[in-house]
Amino acid sequence: MRIRLCFAVLSLVGGAGLATLSAPTATAAACTDIDVVAARGTFEPGTLGFIVGDPVYSALQKKVTGKTFSSYAVNYPADLSPTSAAQGNADLVNHVNRQAASCPNQRFVLVGYSQGANVVDNSIGISSAGAVVGSPIVATLPATVEPKVKAVLLFGNPIRAIGKSVTGTYQSRTIDFCAAGDPVCENGGGDVGAHLGYTANADAAAAFAAGRV
């Protein structure tokens, strides 16, 4: 598993092609209290993402009691195609809009790892164009939905390598992890392995979100 992921990261950074893994089946969430919407990284396996999404969701459920949870895996290729992040951007916004309309009391936690962070960035109005596997914004969460997004959890965020970060409305609700030497989020970083270690931050990210939901 780790060897495959290492090759995926090397491909992401260097641009070489790899066969993609199938995207997980995505279904609309029920009217739970909290919907965790996760965009996995490039070629990342797992329901919400083996490295980030799955462990964050598990940790958050343990930290927040008395509330019901659902999860949604953003349905997008998560590959190196030029429209991959844009497809994820559109799907995330469509899902949250649909849920907000159907479940007025539902609140959201957005999770993005690697290319998935680009997806989340775009969806909250921060363009990932020019970043590794980034894209221009194709859809953003509307102002009516914005207060329902209680936390934004980002890991290995590619826009950081081009000097950008989440600013504005969502800044105070965002935690953005970039491991030292991670070449995806740190300009000049050379430690590919650092990009694969964000499971270690799952508990801290869940604690951040738990304090806001």
Side-chain angles (χ1 to χ4, degrees):
M1 178 69 74
R2 188 172 178 84
I3 291 173
R4 177 178 293 185
L5 288 169
C6 281
F7 278 120
V9 176
L10 286 169
S11 176
L12 185 151
V13 176
L18 285 176
T20 63
L21 297 172
S22 297
T25 301
T27 56
C31 288
T32 57
D33 295 321
I34 302 165
D35 190 29
V36 178
V37 183
R40 71 197 194 284
T42 306
F43 304 116
E44 185 188 12
T47 303
L48 301 178
F50 176 79
I51 293 174
V52 167
D54 292 340
V56 167
Y57 185 59
S58 177
L60 187 56
Q61 288 178 293
K62 293 174 183 176
K63 289 184 182 297
V64 179
T65 58
K67 293 184 183 293
T68 57
F69 281 83
S70 56
S71 65
Y72 180 80
V74 175
N75 188 14
Y76 83 115
D79 61 16
L80 299 178
S81 61
T83 62
S84 177
Q87 291 178 63
N89 174 194
D91 185 71
L92 187 155
V93 171
N94 286 340
H95 169 75
V96 173
N97 283 340
R98 184 169 59 246
Q99 286 300 125
S102 299
C103 308
N105 295 321
Q106 193 169 60
R107 300 297 180 258
F108 302 92
V109 174
L110 308 183
V111 182
Y113 165 52
S114 195
Q115 183 176 176
N118 285 337
V119 169
V120 174
D121 290 332
N122 282 8
S123 300
I124 61 175
I126 309 296
S127 176
S128 65
V132 173
V133 289
S135 79
I137 294 171
V138 297
T140 54
L141 295 172
T144 53
V145 170
E146 172 266 313
K148 299 175 185 288
V149 177
K150 296 302 182 180
V152 178
L153 314 178
L154 303 174
F155 305 78
N157 189 355
I159 70 169
R160 292 186 54 167
I162 57 172
K164 296 178 66 177
S165 62
V166 174
T167 56
T169 302
Y170 291 93
Q171 186 175 14
S172 64
R173 284 172 265 172
T174 299
I175 189 167
D176 191 342
F177 297 93
C178 180
D182 180 350
V184 176
C185 60
E186 181 182 294
N187 186 19
D191 183 2
V192 171
H195 193 63
L196 306 177
Y198 290 105
T199 302
N201 301 113
D203 194 70
F208 177 86
R212 289 159 174 78
V213 298

